[in-house]
Amino acid sequence: MTQEDGQYLVDASQAVAIANAVAYLSVAMQPASLYMGLSRQNLMRQSVRYFLLGEGEVGLMVYTILQHFWEQMPEDDVRPCIFLMSD
């Protein structure tokens, strides 16, 4: 994780629970926005990789985890804007 001009850049790879870690950091740090890249891989291939290796489309998984978390929290809770970007 690096900090530049008050902004943090987290580059995570080859971890079992990247999506969970990013979701936890977004709740703990309460950022104004999250920018996550999407891959252009085949969805079936991503599903198999997630099932076997715990890897896959991190941006969508972070959004899903946060969505389930927010369902249990009050509406006035601080929620970041999430930007899912592709090449």
Side-chain angles (χ1 to χ4, degrees), residues 29-70:
M29 297 177 71
Q30 297 182 348
S33 58
L34 294 173
Y35 295 87
M36 292 176 281
L38 297 174
S39 68
R40 292 185 177 204
Q41 294 179 355
N42 179 299
L43 292 176
M44 183 57 79
R45 182 177 175 191
Q46 288 184 41
S47 298
V48 171
R49 287 186 67 199
Y50 183 77
F51 180 71
L52 296 176
L53 305 172
E55 298 176 354
E57 197 65 76
V58 174
L60 295 175
M61 290 304 301
V62 169
Y63 176 73
T64 303
I65 292 168
L66 288 174
Q67 196 172 26
H68 289 294
F69 176 73
W70 291 335

